[in-house]
Amino acid sequence: MSEGRSWTSWSEPVIGADRDAAALAGSLLTGTSVIVAGARGSGRSHLLRAVVREAAAHGVAPVVIRPSTVLADVPFGALDAAGDPRMIDLRRGRVPDGDVVVLVDDVHALDVDSARFLARCVADGRVTLLATLLIPRARARRVDLDTTGVGQTILSLWLDGLAERLDLSELTPADSEKLLAVLPGASTLDASICGAILWRADGSRTLLRELVAEAVGAVAAGRDPFAAIRDTPPHSRLSVALALHTGDLAEADQECLAFLNRLAHVEFSVATRFASHTRIEALITAGLVHSDDSPARRLTANEAIAREAERQLGSARIDALVAAAGARMLEADGEWWCTPLAVSIAERWHRGDDTADARVPPALRSRVALDASRQANDRGDAAHAAAHAARGLRALDSPELRLEAAFALAQLGTGSDAVAIDEIDPGDLDDEGRGRLARLRAVVADRGLAVPLYAATRGDADAEIERHLDESARAGASFAWSRAVEAAERALALSTERSATHLRARLSAGMAESFRGRWGRARAHFDEVERLLDARQRPVDIGATQRLSALLEWEAVRAKSAGSLAGPDADLAELGLAEALAASGRTTDARAMLARIETGDELYVRHARTSVETTVLMAEGRTDEARVTARTAAALSAGHEVPPVRARDLFRLVVLQDITPAESEELRELLRTTDLPLAVELRRRLDAWEAGDVHDAGEGLRLHPLWSVDDGADGARLGRLSRFPSPTPSVETPALNVLTRREREIALLVEQGHTNREIAARLYLSVRTVESHVYQARAKIGVASRGELGRLVAQWENQQSRA
């Protein structure tokens, strides 16, 4: 309640299948009290604000009680502070005129007298209550949050059957994306920072809002949004939200998270030496720790939660844990090894804390220094790489350490004479060392200039990765996406984790799986791309140029997987723009652009041009010619494993009434076997078309939004473009005769995808009036959502017109 937003001006949509503000308001208006239970950050307050707006649309102004900790010990403090005449009358034993609806956010902050009074008022029918109740999260340190008994007093209303109970869940991944899409300024954030925010939010709506606000503010000020969400001022809104959220965790979980965060990408088998297997698995299940898909199962803790956990526990405590873990590793004398631990030891020695250094065997000191020097070189920190290498060489001379020292000095511009690079025999090095030697010689050949590691000559393994990626691209260009997946997977297996080649291999594999129609597998690759682009991952050789290139390619991959023609290739990008122009009715511009584009002979390019030509012809109303080009496009995709493209081609033939029975059956089989987001909606459209409910050739121009997931902004676009009725069974005519002409008019505009505000502007009504009409119409015919209302009315109107 401390967010400073007005209860009546709240306009953010309520997102989540388990919450319906209109239904809650309806329950209150019919005299049903409700207890809304949810963990911290589950959106209890935001739901109450939406209920206030719904009630206001019906002319009902609830009594809003705002509990506060400063009033928790004052008898009737919260009720008296409300200052509402109706509450004053109730307190004095008088019955106010009309029904009294009372809303209380977070009843735990109520004083005992207020809670008992409200419970009595509900029991004797004087008040209809909507109250929110804070319940512990999974793995919370405090199971009993009700220290005064106030929560139990209110909860007893549900136990006694005097109120209903609604439990709010934490954000699902899908709902997280929807909420992020509507938050102010989120459109200015790129995909990688959005992915980082979604994970750090840990299912909390409050954390998600504050993380987005922090990142958006940083972008607006020209600062790095990753740094903004990582290093926040102690008393900022985000810091306070993190402190409350993390404070709910059990202390042992906090300690484990902070420890894992210090040892980024530690192997699972190593982590279980210091924390229980059960605890780590539970944290992975809870989404607080990520386990990658490598055989070693490298772990990454949710950085935002882990850093706050360390702040609450104290850095000295975590320092001691990491130091003890490092000592255990050294005592094992090489029996097991952990690179992140070795790096932490080297960094501690570098700071002067080397009291145990002399007791460590020279071979182990050298190995510690090698790991630290390699990691420093990989992230471009040549100065620390040289320092670590020098310390290691003092302990034990080794060709690998001399190599790292030479590389660091070359990047610093000092030269490499002192380390006798020419005397390093590749045969003395391990496989990684030989590849790094080739890179070092390239740097020295360039007169010792400091160049990034990723710009140096690639070794044999990198050359093989490039061959596989080229093979994947060629296979995709020929619509041979099975071979493209296999080649991309081979490149993925060979690439070094957290490297630029690994990132490109992930993107290639994701695109290939999308075109094969296996969206679940594609999303798994795209999720890993998000993590690679997260600055927290400290990638080996992904510089700013590689990151920007990957972002552009990733957006192109997502567009392609959605059936769009957009892509990094200039011709495809122009073809995609020409198609968009045609679909929006700008056929002259589309035709002019199409005439300027010169395309190659690759199968996918020829198909793309033919498909766009079909769109332009359909937009121009030249249906017969469009049938010819649509048939040509279908012939090009026939026999190839490319479900999204093939489904698009066949649906075009349906719209143009030129599809054969065999092709119709093929289309249905495609839609049945793919998990692409388009499948469900396209099946609905196909059913409507074949049932004769819709015969609009222009529907073929509205395919593009179908290839996107129906959420956020994409869902809004889909709603505006879709004109098909839902597969809901036919509604009896008398059921909709109860709606007024205005209610039906508004419902049809809802079906067309217009928001309440847009409808109000079009019909010269207030937004509240539109909301009231929607609510009344839904109540009359008993539908759960405004979208279903629109679909039913549209279906009914179609039935009436045919009759």
Side-chain angles (χ1 to χ4, degrees), residues 14-85:
V14 176
I15 294 173
D18 58 352
R19 59 203 70 203
D20 187 335
L24 272 176
S27 295
L28 295 174
L29 296 179
T30 56
T32 302
S33 295
V34 182
I35 310 300
V36 178
R40 195 183 308 279
S42 60
R44 305 183 315 278
S45 298
H46 294 89
L47 179 58
L48 254 66
R49 289 186 176 91
V51 171
V52 169
R53 293 187 64 223
E54 289 284 347
H58 296 280
V60 175
V63 178
V64 178
I65 306 296
R66 305 182 183 185
S68 171
T69 54
V70 300
L71 297 174
D73 296 328
V74 179
F76 301 103
L79 301 188
D80 292 341
D84 192 292

Side-chain angles (χ1 to χ4, degrees), residues 401-423:
L401 270 172
R402 283 188 280 119
L403 172 64
E404 297 307 319
F407 192 87
L409 293 173
Q411 292 191 82
L412 289 170
T414 307
S416 55
D417 299 335
V419 291
I421 181 174
D422 292 334
E423 297 176 9

Side-chain angles (χ1 to χ4, degrees), residues 391-437:
R391 175 182 290 274
L393 287 169
R394 286 199 301 271
L396 180 69
D397 187 16
S398 76
E400 288 84 7
L401 270 172
R402 283 188 280 119
L403 172 64
E404 297 307 319
F407 192 87
L409 293 173
Q411 292 191 82
L412 289 170
T414 307
S416 55
D417 299 335
V419 291
I421 181 174
D422 292 334
E423 297 176 9
I424 299 177
D425 184 356
D428 295 336
L429 301 169
D430 56 19
D431 289 341
E432 183 177 356
R434 284 192 288 273
R436 298 174 79 89
L437 177 61

